[in-house]
Amino acid sequence: EKGEYRHYMQKEIFEQPAAIQKTLEGRIDSPASLIDAFGEKAPAIFDRVKTVQIVACGTSYHAGMVARYWLEDIAGIPCQVEVASEFRYRNHVVPEGTLFVTISQSGETADTLAALRDTQSPNYVGRLAICNVDSSSLVRESELVFLTKAGPEIGVASTKAFTTQLTGLLMLVLTLGRQKGLDDARIEGILGELRQLPNLIEQVSALDKPIEKLSEAFVEKHHTLFLGRGVQFPVALEGALKLKEISYIHAEAYPAGELKHGPLALVDSDMPVVSVAPNDELLEKLKSNLQEVRARGGELYVFADKNAHVKEGEGIHVLNMPAVPETIAPIVYTVPLQLLSYHVAVLRGTDVDQPRNLAKSVTVE
Ligand code: F6R
């Protein structure tokens, strides 16, 4: 039931602190116990992992892209990510010691399932499903499973499934990293960040009203550009996907460093540009990309860490985010973009929970 909420999507956005809490519960007591969340076979299989291949579709694919940044940065494990509809139809090389990971809310997505069923190569050491539905085909057919505990997701646009997938993927990175010698002090540090996550998302949800106000600027627009750098690039992609699917405004995401290689030509006063600016090592580079946009007359909407000192000004609208620890930042910065899309869609009067032409579970290719 929707209860006090107008739409399931809105309810599901606000359920994220609880959904993440459930996904973490009883699983992050210590670095050594993390592995228990992946099933009995995990210790033997994870021991043999040298590289990771992630396959998924849509929003779940974006979760995989974030995981790649984490896996290579934190655990030092090479990782490839691909959309299932491409992966299954091309000849690909499987390096020895590959862990095959699928990510799916429903566990019934046809292309993702087909990719899983096609993993005969002896170079795969195991198949792990990160999934929200216990009884799904994907879960039944994978020897390793991590269940996200988001609860039923009814809105077609995925929200709490995505942030719980990211939570599970970060736990996977720590677990695999530990097998590869990542020290427990570093793992404890990131577990500490994960414990803060529900509370931080709660704080960001409180920005709902100012985001609703901001959304008015998008209602009449035909296009929007989303920018992010590093691990925030997939967050920008996910922001753009949310906006297009529920508001029908054309949206694209670029890694901010690519702007001058083409998309900058699109920027004028009719092209709002949304950016996420956490306080990380790429902040200064991002700020200069934002200047490039502003110089072409683009209106900027920046979700910025309150310590990042991104200044409000003519054509620069800043929404201050709480200080967020670096590793979990992509999870936290997803939320304001969900709220933005939601409010734009409501103002445009679209069918938020059931956007045209889309189905919740894509069981045909
Ligand atoms: C976007 C969305 C879709 C799904 C995609 C994969 O909001 O919901 O892009 O993410 O169809 O679905 P699952 O995760 O069920 O495999």
Side-chain angles (χ1 to χ4, degrees):
E1 253 318 297
K2 285 192 294 239
E4 63 191 286
Y5 296 102
R6 193 164 158 197
H7 297 99
Y8 281 107
M9 182 187 180
Q10 184 188 30
K11 171 170 178 266
E12 288 160 4
I13 291 172
F14 284 94
E15 273 172 1
Q16 289 178 112
I20 290 169
Q21 188 61 48
K22 271 203 109 177
T23 301
L24 293 171
E25 225 154 59
R27 290 168 158 178
I28 55 165
D29 296 339
S30 74
S33 68
L34 276 169
I35 199 163
D36 297 343
F38 298 90
E40 278 160 37
K41 300 195 179 115
I45 292 174
F46 283 2
D47 238 0
R48 297 165 55 211
V49 173
K50 292 191 184 140
T51 169
V52 173
Q53 173 70 59
I54 300 177
V55 170
C57 301
T59 290
S60 298
Y61 166 67
H62 295 151
M65 286 182 75
V66 172
R68 178 161 78 106
Y69 283 88
W70 282 335
L71 255 177
E72 300 211 352
D73 176 46
I74 300 169
I77 298 173
C79 177
Q80 306 269 352
V81 194
E82 195 162 342
V83 289
S85 55
E86 286 299 312
F87 184 80
R88 63 179 287 205
Y89 288 117
R90 72 180 180 87
N91 292 321
H92 46 263
V93 177
V94 183
E96 196 235 307
T98 300
L99 177 68
F100 186 80
V101 179
T102 53
I103 309 170
S104 175
Q105 188 286 125
S106 63
E108 302 296 345
T109 301
D111 283 320
T112 308
L113 259 177
L116 170 68
R117 288 172 181 159
D118 196 24
T119 52
Q120 278 86 28
S121 163
N123 287 349
Y124 288 116
V125 294
R127 293 149 200 84
L128 165 67
I130 298 195
C131 190
N132 197 40
V133 181
D134 195 6
S135 56
S136 63
S137 309
L138 205 67
V139 166
R140 279 199 310 273
E141 296 180 30
S142 302
E143 58 259 56
L144 301 174
V145 174
F146 178 94
L147 283 176
T148 50
K149 306 274 180 80
E153 191 182 61
I154 292 163
V156 165
S158 187
T159 53
K160 61 178 181 170
F162 180 68
T163 48
T164 55
Q165 285 166 350
L166 290 176
T167 303
L169 285 161
L170 184 50
M171 290 166 63
L172 174 67
V173 169
L174 298 179
T175 309
L176 289 175
R178 193 163 189 270
Q179 303 295 101
K180 296 277 164 282
L182 183 67
D183 62 275
D184 279 354
R186 177 89 199 277
I187 296 175
E188 282 289 3
I190 298 176
L191 290 181
E193 292 190 24
L194 278 170
R195 290 184 194 108
Q196 295 174 51
L197 190 53
N199 186 276
L200 279 164
I201 300 220
E202 197 78 58
Q203 287 179 46
V204 173
S205 311
L207 299 173
D208 186 46
K209 280 285 163 233
I211 294 173
E212 183 177 11
K213 185 88 195 93
L214 208 81
S215 70
E216 292 167 12
F218 293 78
V219 180
E220 302 288 322
K221 299 292 183 196
H222 298 287
H223 308 275
T224 300
L225 203 57
F226 285 75
L227 300 178
R229 290 192 76 120
V231 72
Q232 297 288 343
F233 167 50
V235 171
L237 282 169
E238 174 58 12
L241 178 62
K242 285 289 90 88
L243 189 69
K244 56 189 142 189
E245 68 184 334
I246 62 169
S247 78
Y248 316 147
I249 293 175
H250 170 226
E252 273 197 86
Y254 269 92
E258 272 292 294
L259 261 185
K260 51 168 76 73
H261 300 288
L264 200 52
L266 291 170
V267 173
D268 64 11
S269 59
D270 277 334
M271 175 73 95
V273 177
V274 177
S275 178
V276 280
N279 199 2
D280 60 20
E281 77 273 16
L282 291 170
L283 179 66
E284 289 312 314
K285 296 213 177 292
L286 179 74
K287 279 184 179 172
S288 71
N289 299 141
L290 298 182
Q291 282 312 321
E292 290 162 359
V293 168
R294 194 55 215 132
R296 272 78 183 177
E299 273 313 281
L300 282 166
Y301 299 85
V302 191
F303 295 92
D305 185 296
K306 63 177 184 332
N307 299 317
H309 306 293
V310 179
K311 285 195 201 61
E312 279 269 349
E314 171 78 19
I316 308 180
H317 313 270
V318 179
L319 220 135
N320 277 319
M321 296 278 288
V324 179
E326 187 170 341
T327 307
I328 59 166
I331 313 180
V332 179
Y333 275 77
T334 294
V335 178
L337 302 187
Q338 295 170 339
L339 287 168
L340 179 67
S341 302
Y342 172 74
H343 288 298
V344 174
V346 169
L347 286 176
R348 283 170 66 95
T350 59
D351 190 347
V352 172
D353 284 332
Q354 191 54 257
R356 67 187 182 198
N357 311 340
L358 299 178
K360 181 66 188 162
S361 188
V362 186
T363 55
V364 290
E365 68 170 293

